[in-house]
Amino acid sequence: MTPLTLAEKIVSRRVGRMVRAGEFVVVPVDLVLAHEGTAALAIEQFRRLARPSLAAQTVLFSDHAAPAPRRELANVQQTMRTFALETGAHFHEPGSGICHQLIAERWARPGQIVVGADSHTCTAGALGAFATGMGSTDVGAAMALGQTWLRVPETTRLELIGQVDGLVCAKDIILHIIGKLGADGAIYEALEFGGPALDRIAVEERLTLCNMAVEAGAKTGLCGADQPTRWFLRGQGREGDFVSLAPDEGASYERVLSVELEGLSPVVALPHAVDNVRPVQEVAGQQIDQVFIGSCTNGRLTDLLVAVNLLRGRQVHPRVRLLVGPASRRVYQEALRQGLIEILVDAGATILPPGCGPCVGVHMGVLGDGERCLSTQNRNFQGRMGNPQAEILLASPATAAASALQGKITDPREFAQDGSACHE
């Protein structure tokens, strides 16, 4: 039998026959998602097709503007709520959390086909799902028909090798990779993460890797479903959803790239491009005005723990505003139980409700003219946080926390004596 990549294997299983990269297929859809920025058009398309009921499990989220800051957004959320009641779609109310985090916690399973009206739907690839973002019209059609068409992507295999420094996070790894590939270096490809180092990377960090695959232009990011996947699903009360999944030995890849983690330093993506990546030591000392720790990329409990380990017993620099947004209500509740929120507040942080927060610039944390924000989100495009006259720099939770303390971009390894680490 012909060896298959992860992307080829998942699609083949769902189509019911072997498919190869480059082939166009119609594939069953297991899970559909949309949020208040995209759901209205998807619902309109669904209704235009005049189907009697949903043909795929559909989950709607209010996360990009939660709670709603304007009547227009409140009305969109009202439309979603009503649609869910009429059709049986599941609606996550404001405060539940970010769609990609909730999909990982509650919905995604290895081997699924997941489509979402958001480009970072690829986050679920960390659980071994073929997850990809599409336009609202295509998503509405998937809701109505229970299937979609796609071209099976070629795959770039990323072999992660070596041991990373304790304060080098998954965010540093993926920013390093994007810096090498370029923002258009993997157009319509699957980025398949593997290699001996992946075994030591927990699913919480794999979610960060797959979340940002799209920033290199990829169709999806994928990790196999292995023991860390089982542990993660067990922690969510979903161990029964686990299915082992791995690429075949001898699978044919577009290219195989080795990513040496030994000696990798924390990095920062400078304005206004995600691939404008520099080692932190090259840009250390640049003054910042705001730090945001959160988003679908780095708002998980492990991310908050990294920040807390650096911030405990210290004060945020008086010139800096530190905003922290848990990625879901579950993350928020666990952070409360562990005392993390108290430590963050004592350090001077403002805690935001679970959701996308400042990342998309709709409300909360909008920057002033000429201000600079160091953020753990996934994009630093001009105007992304609500002001085209401001600058966004991307970094890991460790670098963000260290920089919040110093009021300038800071190498978190300066605090290494505290025993803090991204991988615990």
Side-chain angles (χ1 to χ4, degrees), residues 316-401:
V316 170
H317 194 280
R319 191 179 57 246
V320 171
R321 308 180 298 273
L322 172 60
L323 309 180
V324 177
S328 71
R329 179 175 283 119
R330 184 169 188 160
V331 171
Y332 199 176
Q333 289 173 326
E334 187 59 33
L336 283 166
R337 278 192 288 268
Q338 295 189 23
L340 307 186
I341 299 299
E342 183 177 3
I343 294 169
L344 291 166
V345 171
D346 286 346
T350 297
I351 310 301
L352 308 179
C356 298
C359 179
V360 289
V362 177
H363 68 147
M364 297 191 296
V366 175
L367 301 169
D369 291 351
E371 288 192 323
R372 184 181 290 126
C373 179
L374 185 67
S375 175
T376 65
Q377 64 198 63
N378 43 43
R379 287 182 174 156
N380 61 346
F381 306 153
Q382 188 170 10
R384 170 75 176 182
M385 296 182 76
N387 187 347
Q389 303 304 317
E391 292 185 340
I392 308 164
L393 303 90
L394 306 180
S396 73
T399 300

Side-chain angles (χ1 to χ4, degrees), residues 25-44:
V25 297
V26 175
V27 62
V29 171
D30 298 294
L31 186 64
V32 180
L33 69 98
H35 52 69
E36 70 265 60
T38 58
L41 286 175
I43 291 169
E44 181 181 332

Side-chain angles (χ1 to χ4, degrees), residues 78-288:
Q78 188 178 62
T79 296
M80 295 162 62
R81 190 178 293 111
T82 301
F83 178 79
L85 289 171
E86 292 172 350
T87 62
H90 190 99
F91 177 58
H92 283 279
E93 290 282 357
S96 300
I98 304 172
C99 57
H100 310 302
Q101 176 67 17
L102 290 166
I103 288 292
E105 289 179 2
R106 298 184 54 176
W107 300 97
R109 304 194 305 270
Q112 283 186 321
I113 302 293
V114 180
V115 301
D118 186 280
S119 57
H120 293 106
T121 300
C122 53
T123 307
L127 293 170
F130 186 100
T132 190
M134 294 182 170
S136 294
T137 300
D138 285 322
V139 166
M143 290 160 56
L145 304 176
Q147 58 186 15
T148 192
W149 71 271
L150 55 84
R151 179 180 177 276
V152 183
E154 287 79 15
T155 296
T156 288
R157 169 83 175 182
L158 295 164
E159 289 278 336
L160 306 183
I161 302 166
Q163 185 73 39
V164 293
D165 180 279
L167 282 171
V168 174
C169 303
K171 181 63 160 291
D172 298 303
I173 296 171
I174 190 59
L175 283 175
H176 169 75
I177 290 169
I178 294 169
K180 297 296 184 184
L181 288 177
D184 58 355
I187 295 293
Y188 207 92
E189 293 183 13
L191 289 185
E192 182 181 293
F193 298 93
L198 188 67
D199 295 339
R200 300 186 296 273
I201 297 178
V203 168
E204 287 84 351
E205 293 183 279
R206 295 180 185 185
L207 290 163
T208 298
L209 298 178
C210 291
N211 174 273
M212 293 193 67
V214 70
E215 306 310 331
K219 178 73 170 174
T220 189
L222 285 165
C223 297
D226 53 9
Q227 189 60 43
T229 317
R230 184 192 293 271
W231 289 332
F232 177 83
L233 290 171
R234 180 185 300 164
Q236 311 304 314
R238 298 198 294 126
E239 188 174 3
D241 287 343
F242 176 76
V243 177
S244 180
L245 185 65
D248 294 329
E249 187 174 348
S252 178
Y253 294 98
E254 182 78 2
R255 54 189 166 170
V256 178
L257 303 177
S258 295
V259 182
E260 179 56 61
L261 304 183
E262 192 77 37
L264 184 66
S265 72
V267 297
V268 176
L270 302 178
H272 296 286
V274 180
D275 59 358
N276 188 14
V277 177
R278 300 287 185 276
V280 68
Q281 56 268 29
E282 291 186 11
V283 296
Q286 291 190 27
Q287 183 176 316
I288 53 176

